[in-house]
Amino acid sequence: MPAFQHIEFLYLLVLIPVLFALYFYALHKKKNTVKKLGDKDLIELLTSNHSTGKYRIKIFLVAIGMFFLIISLANPRSKTGSEKVNRNGIDVMIALDVSKSMLARDIQPTRLERAKQALSRMVDKLSNDRIGIVIFAGKAYLQMPLTADHAAAKMYLNAATTESVPTQGTVIGDALKTCFASFNANEKKYKAVILISDGEDHDDGAVKTAAEMGQEGILICTIGIGSPNGAPLMDENTNQYKTDIDGNTIVSKLNETTLIDIAEKGNGKYILFQSADDVVEKVVKALSGLEKRTVTDELTGNFKSFFLYFLLTAFIFLLIELFISEKKNKKNNYLKLKPATLFLFSFILFSGTVRAQKENQVIKQGNDAYRSNDFLKATDAYEQVVQKDPENAIAQFNLGNALFRVNKKEDAVIAYDKSIKYLKKPVEKSNAFYNKGVLLQKEKKLPECIEAYKNALKIDPDNEDARQNLQIALQQQKKQQQKQDQKKNKDQKKQEQDQKQEPKPQQSKITRKEAEEKLKALMQQEKNLQDKLHKVNAASVKKPEKDW
């Protein structure tokens, strides 16, 4: 039964009733305008060459053309059936490390890209085998179950990136367990695992799991990619080398010991990556010794698309509309092309796409400038986009990064807040909160940065970077609080010591009666003194010589 591949395009069918609504509105407005002109005979004479019927036909042709064009965009298709194939081979699970350490460039262009190239060639060599894919970093995921559809396997390999697994790390043990669970538990042969990694294992259970799988008849070949000396890791957001908590550059090294132990316990072979062809040859040779079995598989169904027929029909209707004139048929009245109608329709349908492409182009220019450390130019590019489209979340997010680099911290926080408002994917929104937290943490605004990290983890609990930075910020806040408490205690002790050094008034040891008698004696002495002074002053008074 036919079905649509891109059903979302069917929403554009709403444009057809909108087109008819505009037609009737224009017709109504035209009649009102004719009435206002007044002279009916003169108007009929002036418009006698215009055919209302042909104009109506042209509208219907455009509407039909739009209908078929929208249907072609949705791509109607039907399933042609599944293909059954007989094969004589084994089941092979590929475990691909997609942790960020695989972005090291000791093998050009990166470890991950070369690993994907080698595995893609290996899939071509394993033409009779069923293949499954597991990708892993801090967690392991079954990307594709065992299938004979090798085209799908290569597609999944090409699509694998470090963003495919949100949790960072390298848990080889989990990857092996996921591969183990993907095999038929009732068979103890015909099974192999190809594991390619730099061996930076953060899980001690990998060798133990490999031993258990070896006992179940599974052959494990490990491929070590990288160099023992290692290479620094580049941060894709800042285009600078990643550093640890102490500010030291992180260097990712190939850990051959773990990979060799896994291969030995899994009855397989360890291969050091030197070239893609060399790896493929050695792995195929190692797998050739396994016993094979004949099975029948049903491949994914094929589809037949019909969009071309609808597109051709739409083109025919729109082409006919172009050659129909609105004038009445008269002698020597030739038909004329009017490309404006098709252009207008194309503009209505694709103007949004063109604008988005222009914005993406400007954002790309900003990204190029950012990678070249020209942060001012990057800021200008991102600001051009957000001025025209403030709801462009990617531009707002990138603008926050660029403003942070040019030391406009407050503006950067505003840009991050706007990107948080408009971002849809939880991982992207969590990353925006994380970047905001990093900025606030560098500004020593610990309560605000802690809140930002907590929001990042609420949205994406697997955001390991936010978790680590939150722990650091909490430790910094604790130390800050301890310093404040120590200073407060020190000031309090000093105040207590100062109070101890001040002399305290001595408590009087005389009785109340003795105090009253001493007070009376003092008052008598004061009275005697005043009387004596009065007598002296009275005896020595003289009038002034002049009184003016």
Side-chain angles (χ1 to χ4, degrees):
M1 183 177 180
F4 293 103
Q5 182 181 4
H6 304 291
I7 196 170
E8 63 273 11
F9 283 110
L10 295 180
Y11 290 110
L12 293 174
L13 290 173
V14 73
L15 293 175
I16 295 176
V18 171
L19 177 66
F20 281 111
L22 291 174
Y23 164 71
F24 287 112
Y25 172 76
L27 198 62
H28 176 71
K29 191 174 181 180
K30 183 178 178 181
K31 290 180 179 179
N32 290 337
T33 304
V34 168
K35 291 179 180 179
K36 291 178 181 180
L37 291 176
D39 194 336
K40 184 178 179 181
D41 295 333
L42 177 61
I43 292 170
E44 289 180 356
L45 180 62
L46 293 174
T47 60
S48 60
N49 198 30
H50 180 268
S51 174
T52 305
K54 288 186 177 181
Y55 180 66
R56 188 178 293 112
I57 291 173
K58 287 171 65 67
I59 292 296
F60 276 96
L61 288 173
V62 171
I64 295 171
M66 285 179 62
F67 172 79
F68 283 106
L69 183 59
I70 293 169
I71 297 298
S72 71
L73 289 173
N75 189 23
R77 62 180 185 172
S78 64
K79 193 173 182 179
T80 58
S82 301
E83 180 183 355
K84 292 186 177 182
V85 294
N86 294 322
R87 62 176 186 83
N88 188 31
I90 61 174
D91 291 340
V92 180
M93 288 298 301
I94 295 174
L96 174 61
D97 185 353
V98 294
S99 61
K100 289 190 176 180
S101 62
M102 292 289 285
L103 296 177
R105 298 177 180 176
D106 46 2
I107 295 181
Q108 295 293 329
T110 64
R111 297 174 183 175
L112 181 59
E113 287 302 319
R114 292 301 298 277
K116 288 160 62 175
Q117 291 174 7
L119 291 174
S120 182
R121 296 182 187 181
M122 198 177 300
V123 169
D124 293 334
K125 294 291 184 179
L126 304 176
S127 56
N128 292 324
D129 301 323
R130 288 201 307 175
I131 295 174
I133 298 174
V134 170
I135 59 174
F136 66 95
K139 288 185 178 180
Y141 296 94
L142 178 63
Q143 192 79 344
M144 187 187 78
L146 287 165
T147 178
D149 190 348
H150 289 190
K154 294 175 73 173
M155 181 186 68
Y156 278 111
L157 284 173
N158 291 331
T161 67
T162 56
E163 303 298 326
S164 301
V165 179
T167 305
Q168 284 304 305
T170 309
V171 285
I172 296 177
D174 285 354
L176 292 175
K177 289 177 183 178
T178 306
C179 292
F180 194 8
S182 301
F183 289 119
N184 186 347
N186 297 325
E187 296 178 342
K188 285 202 172 184
K189 49 186 177 179
Y190 320 121
K191 296 180 286 188
V193 172
I194 301 171
L195 186 145
I196 184 163
S197 171
D198 51 26
E200 285 199 334
D201 190 15
H202 300 168
D203 180 8
D204 298 331
V207 177
K208 181 180 177 181
T209 303
E212 294 174 356
M213 294 172 68
Q215 293 174 0
E216 294 295 323
I218 300 173
L219 183 143
I220 303 175
C221 288
T222 59
I223 302 169
I225 185 163
S227 62
N229 295 329
L233 297 179
M234 186 70 69
D235 191 322
E236 294 177 314
N237 293 325
T238 62
N239 203 31
Q240 294 182 350
Y241 291 128
K242 294 178 72 67
T243 57
D244 57 19
I245 298 176
D246 299 325
N248 300 319
T249 302
I250 297 174
V251 177
S252 173
K253 298 180 181 181
L254 171 64
N255 180 11
E256 291 187 286
T257 304
T258 300
L259 296 174
I260 291 172
D261 291 343
I262 291 172
E264 289 180 353
K265 296 295 184 182
N267 305 318
K269 182 179 182 181
Y270 168 72
I271 302 167
L272 175 63
F273 187 97
Q274 294 177 334
S275 70
D277 292 335
D278 177 66
V279 168
V280 172
E281 182 181 351
K282 290 180 179 179
V283 170
V284 172
K285 184 177 180 181
L287 299 181
S288 63
L290 291 178
E291 184 179 351
K292 297 175 176 57
R293 74 185 190 287
T294 302
V295 295
T296 300
D297 275 321
E298 187 173 283
L299 294 180
T300 304
N302 298 317
F303 290 90
K304 181 179 180 180
S305 296
F306 302 103
F307 78 94
L308 190 59
Y309 301 107
F310 289 90
L311 185 62
L312 182 61
T313 304
F315 175 76
I316 291 172
F317 276 100
L318 293 174
L319 188 64
I320 293 172
E321 186 275 334
L322 289 176
F323 282 94
I324 294 178
S325 172
E326 295 180 20
K327 295 181 179 181
K328 293 180 179 179
N329 291 331
K330 292 185 178 181
K331 190 176 181 180
N332 298 329
N333 185 19
Y334 298 105
L335 298 176
K336 296 182 179 180
L337 290 174
K338 296 189 297 179
T341 304
L342 184 59
F343 173 78
L344 177 61
F345 170 70
S346 302
F347 177 77
I348 293 173
L349 193 58
F350 300 110
S351 59
T353 304
V354 171
R355 187 183 71 177
Q357 289 176 348
K358 288 182 179 179
E359 290 180 356
N360 292 337
Q361 184 64 30
V362 177
I363 292 175
K364 182 179 182 300
Q365 293 172 1
N367 294 344
D368 293 339
Y370 190 97
R371 282 190 288 268
S372 302
N373 295 328
D374 191 349
F375 301 118
L376 287 174
K377 185 177 180 182
T379 301
D380 292 339
Y382 299 139
E383 285 180 340
Q384 288 180 29
V385 177
V386 300
Q387 285 174 0
K388 295 180 179 179
D389 184 10
E391 296 184 8
N392 191 312
I394 299 301
Q396 292 284 12
F397 179 81
N398 290 358
L399 177 59
N401 293 339
L403 288 170
F404 175 58
R405 288 293 176 181
V406 296
N407 208 29
K408 293 184 178 180
K409 308 295 176 58
E410 294 182 358
D411 293 338
V413 171
I414 294 173
Y416 285 138
D417 286 337
K418 289 181 179 178
S419 69
I420 290 167
K421 181 179 179 182
Y422 299 120
L423 284 169
K424 303 299 182 185
K425 295 182 180 179
V427 173
E428 294 175 350
K429 185 170 289 192
S430 176
N431 289 337
F433 270 117
Y434 168 77
N435 280 14
K436 179 182 176 181
V438 171
L439 187 153
L440 293 170
Q441 191 170 8
K442 288 183 178 293
E443 291 294 295
K444 306 298 183 184
K445 296 180 179 180
L446 294 180
E448 294 89 339
C449 88
I450 289 171
E451 185 66 24
Y453 290 141
K454 286 182 178 178
N455 287 329
L457 288 170
K458 286 178 183 177
I459 296 171
D460 180 16
D462 294 329
N463 193 331
E464 197 61 32
D465 291 334
R467 192 183 309 280
Q468 293 177 4
N469 279 15
L470 176 59
Q471 292 174 355
I472 295 170
L474 290 172
Q475 291 173 359
Q476 290 175 342
Q477 188 182 48
K478 185 177 179 181
K479 289 180 180 179
Q480 189 181 74
Q481 187 63 41
Q482 288 174 349
K483 288 181 180 180
Q484 291 176 354
D485 292 342
Q486 290 174 358
K487 185 177 183 301
K488 185 178 179 180
N489 293 334
K490 187 176 179 180
D491 292 342
Q492 188 175 356
K493 288 180 179 179
K494 184 178 179 182
Q495 186 177 2
E496 291 175 354
Q497 290 176 356
D498 292 341
Q499 290 176 352
K500 288 180 180 179
Q501 292 175 0
E502 291 180 359
K504 292 184 178 180
Q506 295 293 327
Q507 186 175 359
S508 176
K509 296 181 180 180
I510 62 175
T511 65
R512 182 175 180 180
K513 185 176 180 181
E514 291 173 343
E516 289 177 350
E517 289 177 352
K518 284 188 176 184
L519 180 60
K520 288 180 179 180
L522 288 172
M523 291 176 67
Q524 186 61 43
Q525 289 177 3
E526 177 68 18
K527 185 176 181 300
N528 294 337
L529 180 61
Q530 290 293 334
D531 291 343
K532 187 177 179 179
L533 289 174
H534 181 70
K535 291 178 180 179
V536 172
N537 291 333
S540 61
V541 173
K542 294 182 179 180
K543 292 184 179 181
E545 295 179 359
K546 292 183 179 181
D547 58 0
W548 68 90

